[in-house]
Amino acid sequence: MNIKPRALMMAAGAGAVVQGAIVVVNIGVSLMVNPAMMGGGSNEGLVMLAGVMAVVLCLCALVLDAGVGALYAFMHSRETALTVGDAALGGGVSGLVTRIITSLCAMCLNLAIIPLTAAQVGNATGDPSVGALTGMFGAAGGLIGGVIGVCIGAIVGIILGAIGGAIAGTGGALAAAPGRPA
């Protein structure tokens, strides 16, 4: 198997930048619909819109995983000949690297906003100890959920990156097949 580090890092870097933007937008939207940030009131329409937007962003991230694999195959084929196996392997590794980077960043961002959320809960209830408890349980849950999220993200990145790499590699392998005009 032949993995090109330069193609891998370029594909993973591009994927991490785009998925990082998706993470920031998703966290920002979730903060904006927090009832405590809206003066204690709630707007069900805005909350529903944020939920739909979160689902759309999640689907975009899944498509992006396959795109990272395809980008790896494209970058690899520019340097040397590419087999479908190399494209799938490199695409899977690129997807893995992308997802680990963005999952760790998302975990850190989510942990960073826990004090803000805990303070809002304390203010909304009028009892600062409730906010402190919320912060402690939120941090513990955030760490456990973050580790699980990194693991699930890694698996998803490998699978979809490999699929995207294999699909893109099939096109490259067919174009470079002997006896086939370029």
Side-chain angles (χ1 to χ4, degrees):
M1 292 286 166
N2 181 14
I3 294 182
K4 296 288 182 193
R6 181 172 184 261
L8 189 144
M9 296 321 282
M10 290 177 73
V17 166
V18 176
Q19 281 196 359
I22 289 172
V23 165
V24 169
V25 168
N26 203 4
I27 290 173
V29 167
S30 69
L31 281 176
M32 295 310 282
V33 298
N34 186 343
M37 298 228 5
M38 297 169 53
S42 178
N43 184 346
E44 289 81 19
L46 186 59
V47 172
M48 188 171 82
L49 179 64
V52 169
M53 189 170 173
V55 169
V56 169
L57 289 172
C58 183
L59 293 175
C60 288
L62 294 176
V63 171
L64 184 65
D65 285 330
V68 165
L71 181 60
Y72 170 82
F74 173 75
M75 299 302 288
H76 184 289
S77 68
R78 293 184 63 179
E79 295 180 26
T80 60
L82 178 68
T83 65
V84 176
D86 288 343
L89 179 65
V93 173
S94 295
L96 170 70
V97 171
T98 298
R99 277 299 183 126
I100 286 176
I101 291 169
T102 55
S103 296
L104 287 173
C105 289
M107 182 174 76
C108 291
L109 285 172
N110 281 317
L111 288 174
I113 64 171
I114 287 176
L116 172 69
T117 307
Q120 291 171 351
V121 169
N123 291 340
T125 61
D127 186 1
S129 62
V130 173
L133 274 174
T134 302
M136 288 188 323
F137 285 116
L143 283 174
I144 293 168
V147 169
I148 292 170
V150 169
C151 294
I152 291 172
I155 292 167
V156 169
I158 290 170
I159 292 169
L160 294 177
I163 290 170
I167 290 171
T170 302
L174 291 176
R180 183 180 170 111

